[in-house]
Amino acid sequence: MATKLKPVDAVIVGFGWTGAVLARELTKAGLNVLALERGGMRDTIPNFAAPMIHDELRFAIRHDLMQDASRETLTFRNNVDQTALPIRRWGSFLPGTGVGGAGVHWNGQHYRFAPSEFRIRSHYGERYGKTFIPKEMTIQDWPVTYEELEPYYDRFEYLCGTAGKAGNIKGVIQEGGNPFEGSRAREYPNPAMKRSFQMKMFEDATREMGFHPYVQPSSDVTQAYTNPEGVDMGSCVYCGFCERFGCEMSAKASPQSTLLPLLLKDSRFELRTLSHVTKVNLDSGRKKSTGVTYIDSQGREFEQPADMVLLCAFGLHNARLMMLSGIGRIYDPKTGKGSVGRNYAYQMSSSVTAHFNDKVFNPFMGAGACAMIIDDFNYDNFDHGPLGFVGGSYICVESKGQRPIDFRNLPPGEPRWGKGWKQSVAHWYNRTFVIASFGSVTAQRSNYLDLDPNYKDGFGNPLLRMTFDFSKNDLDMSKYCTDRAADIAKHMNPDKMGTSYRKGPYSIVPYQTTHTTGGTIMGADPTTSAVNRYLQSWDVPNVFVMGAGAFPQNPSHNPTGTVGALAYWAADAITTKYLKSPGRLVPS
């Protein structure tokens, strides 16, 4: 029997970005908040101290900050005709664990989605005709608009100290920014990152070709900064250890560098680590949550009563918890009915490698969000009519800080082993950079999440099962955008170049991005969405579900900016609407 604990006003499952935002907003509203984190305690000091945090083998290769796949993993298959098998080692994406979650090991790439993305089905139907969208493509409009989210995008950017150059302030296009972006209320809080040699080459080439380059928005803060919560952040030193690492400078925005110091001083907040939530508990009518059940590091089971439950774990875990708890109907691809697990999507990446004998780029210097971008082939910024696909890609040159174990991009035809390989690696390391394409992935009827009937975790609960493959639409989009990246590379006149197309079937083995979306999607119709426009469960109104799982499909731009904006959007609805009159905020 589980030990029943003292009730709290709100329990948060998972303490990453969304957990930290919700905890801060709810404690400010006077609530007693408990956060349960499955991983251990981590803070900037001592856990991210240099030189330890620069151990590439430990963090980048052996994934020290990531979830332990031997205790809980997921099973994977490309389609329903295959038997899903467990992932034994994370590859394609890297779920974080511990205090701060994936907000510790992200790169700091901080985007907003384009206004058209929030009404994507309507937009494509209006411009290209309703028959343009294939029958099996289940993309849908968001239940919230860009204009509604703009103040919350702004708030999250100022919390993070995001560095960039605005492209559109109050409808006026700004020189040097992204002219395709939606209108924003004001400039970024900090100036954009420095341009590396390869970024400048990309900028010059794309301008000559008639495109619109801009420096990537970065939450690797470019100067000393105090955020609106009064927390001081350091300045990025371009050390190159961002992705898969914590930041010793408190320069990369994370829960540790933006909100945790305040929360740990607040008597209304409690953080319990090594606390693995296994179920959201429901009352006899199954229309109200009574709290959660969790297991601690000693294997003891506890029941934590709470008036409100907020699922703030990694998106895949939120979907699984809803399924294990019986919240909502699990999606069935045969009938198209059910909402939990629906519209799982990913991000599509490809690359072109350019090699120059007479140039030196020093790729070890950089930051996770130091890049030059064009959006000319992103969203619907170009004519899709003759091309016959939905979606697009941003194209960029990154200066992320290429570490020696991970970065060995050689030209085609070079030796792949032995003395010749070593000589080639030594020669080309300083003379190579990558032009990358990061594209959208559309929701498809056949891509979804459910519970695996054969495999269980260490606690005896079914593993999450992922059924996913790239669609023809997304492969066509990626081929077109990769060709455009190759055009840019050719314009720079490299001595050698290689093009790496993303091809099917999707493999979960090599790393691509950690941008998994869908499964707990938001919408205006409870038959096709798991949560409403405020991220509130349609079925259990005192349960709210945060994160990128709410995205109805996966846009090309990285998700964290929108994840943070949605967290503030939901927190505002909870504190100004729900607490005054608990219940469903949107009629079904």
Side-chain angles (χ1 to χ4, degrees):
M1 291 291 291
T3 301
K4 192 169 185 178
L5 303 173
K6 181 181 178 181
V8 294
D9 296 323
V11 62
I12 291 173
V13 180
F15 191 78
W17 266 126
T18 61
V21 168
L22 268 294
R24 178 61 175 160
E25 294 305 293
L26 295 185
T27 53
K28 286 197 292 187
L31 273 64
N32 292 313
V33 177
L34 168 66
L36 298 173
E37 166 56 46
R38 70 162 75 193
M41 180 61 192
R42 292 189 307 221
D43 206 348
T44 302
I45 302 297
N47 303 99
F48 307 153
M52 177 273 296
I53 197 60
H54 292 175
D55 187 336
E56 184 185 4
L57 182 63
R58 174 180 173 183
F59 294 102
I61 307 302
R62 294 177 176 167
H63 302 160
D64 190 76
L65 298 179
M66 315 308 170
Q67 180 183 323
D68 182 357
S70 69
R71 294 179 59 84
E72 181 190 323
T73 183
L74 55 86
T75 67
F76 171 77
R77 60 185 181 178
N78 287 123
N79 57 66
V80 296
D81 294 328
Q82 299 175 344
T83 298
L85 297 174
I87 298 170
R88 300 299 186 183
R89 186 178 188 275
W90 298 113
S92 180
F93 49 85
L94 302 173
T97 194
V99 171
V104 169
H105 69 79
W106 75 312
N107 264 326
Q109 298 167 357
H110 195 142
Y111 294 98
R112 299 181 179 195
F113 294 159
S116 62
E117 185 64 30
F118 292 92
R119 53 187 309 274
I120 185 171
R121 194 171 191 94
S122 298
H123 175 87
Y124 274 89
E126 291 164 4
R127 183 171 181 184
Y128 304 108
K130 293 184 178 180
T131 59
F132 190 79
I133 299 172
K135 182 179 179 182
E136 294 299 303
M137 187 183 293
T138 55
I139 59 173
Q140 59 191 58
D141 293 352
W142 297 52
V144 61
T145 66
Y146 172 86
E147 290 73 22
E148 288 176 307
L149 274 187
E150 199 283 329
Y152 304 95
Y153 270 127
D154 178 271
R155 190 169 178 195
F156 190 53
E157 288 165 358
Y158 272 74
L159 174 78
C160 295
T162 308
K165 178 69 185 75
N168 182 343
I169 298 178
K170 298 180 180 179
V172 179
I173 301 301
Q174 307 292 308
E175 181 68 27
N178 177 12
F180 300 105
E181 73 173 353
S183 177
R184 58 174 64 239
R186 53 180 172 169
E187 185 57 86
Y188 284 101
N190 282 302
M193 301 208 86
K194 297 177 181 179
R195 289 164 167 81
S196 67
F197 183 17
Q198 56 265 46
M199 288 166 61
K200 187 64 169 61
M201 285 181 62
F202 180 85
E203 180 181 26
D204 292 343
T206 52
R207 284 200 193 281
E208 289 169 6
M209 298 172 75
F211 303 141
H212 304 83
Y214 65 98
V215 179
Q216 183 178 66
S218 169
S219 283
D220 305 324
V221 179
T222 53
Q223 60 187 11
Y225 176 71
T226 302
N227 72 18
E229 295 283 2
V231 178
D232 294 329
M233 300 176 66
S235 176
C236 178
V237 294
Y238 298 86
C239 71
F241 288 83
C242 292
E243 185 177 25
R244 309 187 191 188
F245 301 84
C247 179
E248 76 269 25
M249 303 299 296
S250 292
K252 181 172 70 173
S254 72
Q256 281 85 353
S257 62
T258 57
L259 289 169
L260 186 62
L262 295 171
L263 287 166
L264 292 179
K265 296 176 183 177
D266 194 329
S267 62
R268 293 163 297 193
F269 174 74
E270 181 183 355
L271 174 61
R272 290 182 202 156
T273 58
L274 303 176
S275 300
H276 188 111
V277 175
T278 57
K279 184 173 62 173
V280 178
N281 302 321
L282 305 179
D283 66 7
S284 57
R286 307 194 68 77
K287 294 297 181 183
K288 182 180 180 181
S289 171
T290 59
V292 300
T293 295
Y294 74 92
I295 298 173
D296 73 0
S297 60
Q298 300 179 47
R300 298 175 298 184
E301 189 174 53
F302 295 92
E303 180 185 344
Q304 177 59 65
D307 294 335
M308 184 167 39
V309 174
L310 300 107
L311 300 186
C312 296
F314 193 66
L316 298 175
H317 303 325
N318 287 341
R320 180 170 178 257
L321 263 178
M322 291 186 74
M323 295 176 193
L324 292 176
S325 307
I327 300 174
R329 182 177 177 180
I330 298 177
Y331 173 73
D332 182 350
K334 294 180 180 179
T335 64
K337 295 182 179 179
S339 58
V340 183
R342 179 185 178 95
N343 283 28
Y344 173 77
Y346 192 48
Q347 189 180 38
M348 178 79 79
S349 61
S350 60
S351 63
V352 178
T353 308
H355 310 269
F356 300 83
N357 269 310
D358 61 344
K359 294 178 173 61
V360 174
F361 301 110
N362 292 331
F364 53 86
M365 295 186 292
C370 189
M372 188 67 69
I373 314 287
I374 62 167
D375 267 358
D376 295 74
F377 303 102
N378 205 355
Y379 300 111
D380 194 28
N381 298 335
F382 57 106
D383 187 1
H384 285 74
L387 303 172
F389 60 75
V390 172
S393 169
Y394 70 88
I395 299 172
C396 67
V397 162
E398 300 175 308
S399 292
K400 295 196 300 185
Q402 304 296 359
R403 299 177 296 271
I405 298 177
D406 252 354
F407 186 73
R408 298 182 305 278
N409 283 333
L410 302 181
E414 293 293 307
R416 289 307 191 232
W417 193 250
K419 181 180 179 180
W421 173 80
K422 293 178 181 178
Q423 291 173 336
S424 183
V425 168
H427 175 76
W428 289 112
Y429 174 80
N430 257 346
R431 297 171 171 86
T432 297
F433 64 79
V434 176
I435 301 177
S437 165
F438 291 97
S440 59
V441 169
T442 54
Q444 303 286 328
R445 183 180 177 125
S446 58
N447 292 336
Y448 66 101
L449 309 171
D450 66 353
L451 295 175
D452 193 282
N454 302 313
Y455 294 96
K456 297 181 179 181
D457 67 10
F459 300 114
N461 294 317
L463 294 180
L464 187 74
R465 179 171 63 180
M466 176 186 292
T467 304
F468 177 76
D469 204 356
F470 292 134
S471 68
K472 181 181 184 302
N473 177 94
D474 302 329
L475 291 170
D476 289 347
M477 177 280 300
S478 184
K479 170 66 165 58
Y480 176 81
C481 291
T482 307
D483 285 341
R484 304 292 74 74
D487 292 340
I488 297 169
K490 291 174 185 175
H491 191 82
M492 298 181 190
N493 296 313
D495 293 291
K496 297 184 179 183
M497 61 177 281
T499 303
S500 178
Y501 292 96
R502 184 63 62 192
K503 298 179 179 179
Y506 164 73
S507 172
I508 205 162
V509 175
Y511 183 75
Q512 292 155 70
T513 76
T514 302
H515 306 147
T516 64
T517 66
T520 58
I521 66 173
M522 61 192 304
D525 182 350
T527 66
T528 58
S529 59
V531 297
N532 63 25
R533 72 194 306 259
Y534 299 114
L535 282 73
Q536 179 187 43
S537 166
W538 287 107
D539 298 88
V540 184
N542 65 334
V543 171
F544 291 79
V545 188
M546 303 295 126
F551 298 1
Q553 49 276 327
N554 202 347
S556 58
H557 277 146
N558 302 29
T560 308
T562 302
V563 167
L566 285 173
Y568 273 119
W569 162 262
D572 186 57
I574 292 169
T575 55
T576 63
K577 297 181 175 69
Y578 179 83
L579 294 180
K580 294 178 180 178
S581 181
R584 185 176 286 171
L585 295 176
V586 179
S588 62

